Each structure stands twice: as structure tokens, then as C-alpha cells.
């Protein structure tokens, strides 16, 4: 399922800049229909969730094992309570949003409790889309400041724009940005509570 993609994505000469710099982080609902009791539901009172962190240079995806920073597309991080994803310290790290949800569904079934779930916020970065091998790809952003809570975004689902692992969930904290992206690249819109195992099963290569 996890085929290696060409690296060097920062050097695409045909990159089409569609950068948008936004300081707004719109607040969406914190409903978690498919992930009942998750995202900080551990009864810790006023305990603040851990902040997002920059993905290390050599970090690999928990699902497919690819080096995250060497490839295009959305990133994601999930912090778990009293758990070590794949034997390393929190957070669990992913080179696609759909793989993060797939992992989350599996861990939720196993009794793991997440305390924070972050995804790349394309409303807050100067991103680019570009063609490579017949695909339209979107740039990777891995700095801590580029992440936002998964509950605070509108996703564009299954657009023509791909990441490392094919068609993905591309997140925007500003719904108007998501609507504009959808208008240009297709797909449908949803929020965190609308991401189900069935939605995830329809994504990827």
C-alpha cells in the first residue's frame, strides 16, 4: 500500500503558487462521532493538551514507515495518554491525514486514549500545488506552527490533489479556503466528526 514516491519535492519547477497566509484559526465543533471519548476526554479536568511539535528530519510514518519530510502532502500528529507509538515518545507521526485516522480508529478499538490530534493547516501556510508524473501534488509542511487541532478544520476529501499516499484529507482552519480549494480541485467537504472508517477506506492510491 505504501509505495515510495520521488523525493526532492521542493525543487518542482512547475510549481503553481496558491499560497495563502491566514492568522485566523476558525473554531469548529469538537464532536467526535467516530472517535467517541477521544481528543482529551480523559477526565483530566483543566489539563491542557500537549502542543504540536515539529516533525524531526528522520521521523517515519507510523503506518507505512516512509520518511515523512522527504515526501509531499499533509502531515499529522497524535498524542496518546500513557502510550508510546511504535516504541518512541509521543506523538505518533504520519505522512498522510487518512493514515492518521486509520491508525486512530485501530488504536481506539484497542483502548488507547488520545489527548491531541493535529493536522496540517493549509489555511496557515504558503502552500503550492504542482504536477509530477501525471499527478497533482501539494507541498509538505512539518513545522509545529503549521499544525492545528483536527477538530478545528474543514477537510477537502478526495480531491484531484494528492499527497504521499494518494488522495487525502486536506485541512483548512478557514472554511472559505476549503471551499475555494474544492471549487478548483474537486472533492467534497467534511469536518472531523464526518471522517469515518468508510471515508478513510475510499482514500489512498
Amino acid at each position: 500500500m505504501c509505495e515510495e514516491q520521488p523525493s526532492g519535492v521542493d525543487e518542482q519547477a512547475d510549481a503553481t503558487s496558491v499560497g495563502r497566509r491566514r492568522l485566523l484559526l476558525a473554531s469548529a465543533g469538537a464532536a467526535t462521532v467516530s472517535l467517541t471519548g477521544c481528543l482529551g476526554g480523559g477526565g483530566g479536568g483543566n489539563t491542557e493538551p500537549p502542543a504540536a511539535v515539529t516533525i524531526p528530519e528522520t521521523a517515519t510514518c507510523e503506518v507505512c514507515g516512509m520518511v515523512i519530510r522527504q515526501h509531499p502532502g499533509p502531515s499529522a500528529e497524535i498524542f496518546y495518554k500513557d502510550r508510546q507509538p511504535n516504541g518512541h515518545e509521543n506523538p505518533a507521526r504520519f505522512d498522510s491525514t487518512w493514515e492518521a485516522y486509520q491508525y486512530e480508529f485501530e488504536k481506539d478499538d484497542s483502548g488507547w486514549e488520545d489527548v491531541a490530534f493535529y493536522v496540517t493547516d493549509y489555511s496557515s501556510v504558503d502552500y503550492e500545488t504542482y504536477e509530477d508524473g501525471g499527478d497533482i501534488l501539494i507541498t509538505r509542511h512539518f513545522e509545529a506552527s503549521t499544525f492545528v487541532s483536527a477538530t478545528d478544520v474543514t477537510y477537502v476529501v478526495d480531491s484531484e490533489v494528492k499527497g504521499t499516499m494518494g488522495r487525502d484529507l486536506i485541512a483548512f482552519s478557514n472554511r472559505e479556503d476549503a471551499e475555494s480549494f474544492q471549487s478548483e480541485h474537486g472533492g467534497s467537504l467534511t469536518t472531523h466528526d464526518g471522517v469515518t472508517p468508510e471515508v478513510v477506506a475510499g482514500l489512498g492510491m
Side-chain angles (χ1 to χ4, degrees):
M1 177 173 62
C2 301
E3 298 179 3
E4 192 77 13
Q5 297 286 332
S7 58
V9 299
D10 294 330
E11 302 174 0
Q12 301 299 328
D14 296 330
T16 303
S17 177
V18 288
R20 299 178 181 87
R21 179 65 61 182
R22 304 275 187 181
L23 296 179
L24 295 174
L25 295 179
S27 176
T32 55
V33 172
S34 301
L35 307 175
T36 304
C38 295
L39 295 183
N46 296 322
T47 302
E48 289 293 324
V53 299
T54 296
I55 294 177
E57 186 172 353
T58 60
T60 57
C61 176
E62 311 296 339
V63 176
C64 69
M66 295 173 65
V67 178
I68 297 170
R69 288 173 59 162
Q70 291 182 359
H71 306 281
S75 304
E77 300 179 341
I78 306 177
F79 289 81
Y80 288 97
K81 181 179 179 181
D82 301 326
R83 301 285 186 169
Q84 289 190 322
N86 288 343
H88 64 76
E89 293 184 358
N90 273 299
R93 302 171 293 227
F94 307 91
D95 62 5
S96 70
T97 312
W98 75 260
E99 283 180 307
Y101 274 97
Q102 179 187 72
Y103 187 91
E104 171 75 328
F105 292 136
E106 293 173 354
K107 294 304 184 184
D108 188 45
D109 288 342
S110 299
W112 286 39
E113 178 186 348
D114 73 57
V115 293
F117 189 156
Y118 295 107
V119 295
T120 302
D121 177 14
Y122 283 97
S123 286
S124 69
V125 299
D126 292 326
Y127 69 86
E128 294 179 338
T129 60
Y130 58 92
E131 290 191 26
D132 182 33
D135 291 326
I136 300 176
L137 304 177
I138 192 167
T139 49
R140 168 87 62 203
H141 301 272
F142 44 78
E143 299 86 358
S145 61
T146 66
F147 288 104
V148 66
S149 173
T151 62
D152 292 343
V153 302
T154 299
Y155 289 114
V156 180
V157 185
D158 198 25
S159 73
E160 66 179 355
V161 177
K162 297 182 179 181
T164 298
M165 303 310 299
R167 294 178 185 268
D168 209 341
L169 300 153
I170 300 177
F172 297 87
S173 60
N174 185 301
R175 186 176 177 86
E176 291 182 357
D177 291 343
E179 292 171 346
S180 177
F181 190 91
Q182 179 199 26
S183 177
E184 183 174 358
H185 299 292
S188 59
L189 300 180
T190 193
T191 55
H192 175 71
D193 58 315
V195 182
T196 65
E198 291 73 24
V199 169
V200 170
L203 299 173
M205 294 300 184

